[in-house]
Amino acid sequence: MLYRVLLPLIALLAISGVAVAADAATDMGNERADDIVSLSGVMGISIQVKQQAEAAFSEVATDIYKESAENSAQKRRLLMSLSDWSQPALAERFQQVLNTYSDDEQGALLALLQDPLMAQARYAEEVALSEQNTQVYQDYLTRLERYPPGRARAQRVDKLAKAMQMERWITKANEAVSKGSTVALSGSVNGAVTGAAVANKAGGKVGRAVRYFLFYAYRRISNPEMDQLARLWSEPLMQRWLNDAFKALPGEVSAAPTDSEY
């Protein structure tokens, strides 16, 4: 009799154990995916799009809508047209990409991103970002213009920039803002002109800005370390992730903005 009572109970516990284990595995997988997204820096494009949109609107408001009561509505319309670029929206897209990777592939990708040198580079980039609007940063760029770095160093920076695909991603952000400006301001006679102006202003300057940033950020990182960073970013699995994540980015801006927050 006791056996008959225990048998279904044991079975129930076994099934529950499988469910708990599955939930734990899912949570672990989600956490690993979050780490990959965070450490690879792909979410930075969301911040880039928002900053570019705000800068673009500030210029438009100054040149076209000065003293206009429509400023706030136009700005909201512009940001809402870019809602697909918000961090929650992109996080969902990147999660779907990573769901196509095996556990071993995700683990190997995370291992690359957790390399100590990669961590050192991320810290250097964070410091550089925090100093972009300082006089120290501007003075460094001025010195770069006057006294360009040696050919070997420049080639290393170019190789790293190419491996990291920074120019490609920033260009995509600029294009999104250009299209968003056209959509958001299409009610005005200057809507289409504004979108083109944003693209033209950014065009041709992205590559130089990326390289100057890397020169500054990595100025204390040695040439051998730069070579190793380039190798890490050039790993086939890393390039696959960057390419897949890039393909997952929104292709078009929303033509009918909703009330969702950017």
Side-chain angles (χ1 to χ4, degrees):
M1 184 69 175
L2 182 60
Y3 174 77
R4 292 180 181 177
V5 173
L6 287 177
L7 189 58
L9 179 59
I10 292 172
L12 179 60
L13 289 174
I15 294 172
S16 300
V18 171
V20 170
D23 290 341
T26 299
D27 291 342
M28 184 178 299
N30 290 338
E31 182 177 350
R32 183 167 53 192
D34 289 343
D35 287 342
I36 291 172
V37 169
S38 175
L39 296 179
S40 59
V42 293
M43 195 61 77
I45 195 170
S46 176
I47 300 173
Q48 179 76 14
V49 165
K50 187 172 183 179
Q51 290 177 342
Q52 290 287 352
E54 291 177 342
F57 180 80
S58 295
E59 181 174 328
V60 171
T62 299
D63 294 345
I64 300 175
Y65 298 104
K66 190 179 296 183
E67 307 298 333
S68 172
E70 296 182 4
N71 278 0
S72 59
Q74 294 280 11
K75 182 177 181 179
R76 180 174 176 79
R77 190 182 305 162
L78 173 56
L79 293 178
M80 287 167 59
S81 73
L82 297 168
S83 60
D84 286 346
W85 293 87
S86 68
Q87 294 202 12
L90 289 185
E92 183 176 352
R93 288 172 177 265
F94 293 149
Q95 177 69 60
Q96 290 174 354
V97 171
L98 287 168
N99 285 343
T100 67
Y101 286 50
S102 68
D103 289 343
D104 288 344
E105 289 171 334
Q106 288 189 21
L109 182 56
L110 185 56
L112 288 172
L113 293 166
Q114 289 177 332
D115 184 281
L117 187 56
M118 294 285 269
Q120 180 184 345
R122 279 191 295 271
Y123 177 74
E125 291 171 13
E126 289 173 4
V127 172
L129 284 172
S130 69
E131 296 175 350
Q132 271 191 311
N133 295 322
T134 66
Q135 191 60 46
V136 172
Y137 189 90
Q138 295 306 316
D139 289 345
Y140 186 88
L141 297 192
T142 300
R143 289 197 299 274
L144 276 180
E145 291 281 359
R146 292 179 180 175
Y147 311 105
R151 181 180 178 183
R153 185 69 175 183
Q155 287 177 337
R156 284 182 167 88
V157 167
D158 287 343
K159 184 176 182 179
L160 182 58
K162 182 178 180 180
M164 296 173 73
Q165 301 189 16
M166 289 179 68
E167 183 175 347
R168 181 190 192 193
W169 283 69
I170 294 176
T171 298
K172 181 76 171 181
N174 291 340
E175 290 174 350
V177 174
S178 173
K179 294 176 182 178
S181 297
T182 301
V183 171
L185 305 176
S186 59
S188 71
V189 294
N190 298 295
V193 176
T194 299
V198 172
N200 290 335
K201 184 176 181 180
K205 297 182 179 179
V206 174
R208 185 177 66 173
V210 166
R211 283 155 181 78
Y212 277 20
F213 174 79
L214 292 179
F215 275 123
Y216 182 86
Y218 294 163
R219 65 195 185 282
R220 296 187 179 92
I221 293 181
S222 68
N223 284 342
E225 289 173 327
M226 291 284 285
D227 292 339
Q228 177 61 13
L229 282 171
R231 283 193 290 270
L232 289 170
W233 282 105
S234 298
E235 284 286 333
L237 183 59
M238 184 77 77
Q239 287 296 301
R240 175 188 165 192
W241 159 239
L242 292 177
N243 288 329
D244 288 347
F246 185 84
K247 292 175 184 177
L249 295 174
E252 299 290 340
V253 297
S254 173
T258 63
D259 291 332
S260 60
E261 292 289 336
Y262 179 86

